[in-house]
Amino acid sequence: MSFTVAAVVVIAAFGLLSQWQFDRAAEENAKANSVAAFATADPVPLQSLLQPGEPLPDGQEWRPVTATGELACEQGYLVRNRPLSATNGYWAACPLRTTDGSWLWVNRGWLPAPGPAIEVVPMPLAPVGEVVVTGWLRASESGPEVPPGDLPQGQASHLDTDVLSSVAGLPGGAYQPYVVATALSPVDPGQLQQLPLPESDSAQNYSYAGQWLLFATVVVGGWFFFLR
């Protein structure tokens, strides 16, 4: 009798864990669908949403925006350890001096890592003169206040806009969020790969849910075996 009670409790627990993973998968799918719908809206001027120094407003991450200015990629950084499609690479982050004199960090796109992690990689060519950037608004990453001193020249570990602005010595105000570029006009000559929207990680949750169901099935089979 006690064995049967224990088996029922374990089966119920495995069932609840499986349902929890199914619920997590549904949440991940809903989040990805919401981001995709939001990110395909018509872009709005960046200045209509926030001013330099202000944090990203609630509910505005992945909002498409536009900004106009000149890229200063000689003061930019390649952000390390940014894999894409199972290939390690960099984000090409450059400050944009907007027409009102403030600075905005722009993630121009992705490039693969060409060799060893200690190798100095040149910043890809950027448009010269005034450019119009269209892209998704993202919150600044949070990195160490003092960047690691052992990184190759021109590389950073995080796209922390406050830290990068300080290290780059950008005068005047800077926007706290950054923009992931989806289009530049004139076209970016750097042959960078555009970053995709975040994908749902629900496949992993479905896998875990299936595993819990499998464990429950094993317990049911074990109960019949020992009962006989």
Side-chain angles (χ1 to χ4, degrees):
M1 180 64 180
S2 59
F3 177 74
T4 299
V5 172
V8 170
V9 171
V10 171
I11 292 170
F14 287 168
L16 290 174
L17 288 170
S18 177
Q19 184 59 52
W20 175 62
Q21 289 294 341
F22 279 123
D23 292 341
R24 288 290 305 275
E27 291 174 3
E28 289 290 334
N29 289 333
K31 180 180 178 181
N33 292 336
S34 177
V35 168
F38 191 45
T40 55
D42 293 334
V44 299
L46 176 64
Q47 297 88 339
S48 67
L49 293 179
L50 75 164
Q51 297 300 312
E54 295 180 351
L56 180 67
D58 292 339
Q60 296 302 313
E61 191 158 28
W62 298 105
R63 158 80 76 167
V65 296
T66 60
T68 303
E70 294 187 11
L71 288 167
C73 284
E74 68 279 0
Q75 296 170 284
Y77 287 87
L78 296 179
V79 185
R80 297 163 54 90
N81 299 322
R82 304 296 159 152
L84 184 64
S85 301
T87 301
N88 191 29
Y90 305 92
W91 288 350
C94 294
L96 177 82
R97 181 67 180 268
T98 64
T99 53
D100 65 1
S102 54
W103 293 92
L104 169 69
W105 282 91
V106 177
N107 184 346
R108 293 167 53 205
W110 180 88
L111 69 153
I118 60 174
E119 182 175 341
V120 175
V121 180
M123 174 68 71
L125 293 175
V128 177
E130 186 172 275
V131 297
V132 178
V133 177
T134 303
W136 299 311
L137 198 58
R138 295 297 316 275
S140 170
E141 294 186 342
S142 180
E145 294 183 5
V146 179
D150 57 348
L151 298 183
Q153 182 179 359
Q155 295 185 20
S157 59
H158 295 79
L159 211 169
D160 186 321
T161 57
D162 288 339
V163 172
L164 293 186
S165 295
S166 176
V167 173
L170 301 181
Y175 288 93
Q176 281 194 12
Y178 68 93
V179 168
V180 178
T182 57
L184 267 69
S185 179
V187 175
D188 195 325
Q191 298 183 339
L192 297 164
Q193 185 169 340
Q194 181 182 326
L195 293 175
L197 288 170
E199 296 181 353
S200 170
D201 197 24
S202 60
Q204 187 177 38
N205 297 112
Y206 284 127
S207 175
Y208 289 152
Q211 290 177 20
W212 288 120
L213 290 177
L214 178 62
F215 294 156
T217 303
V218 170
V219 174
V220 171
W223 181 81
F224 278 108
F225 177 80
F226 284 107
L227 185 64
R228 292 181 60 184

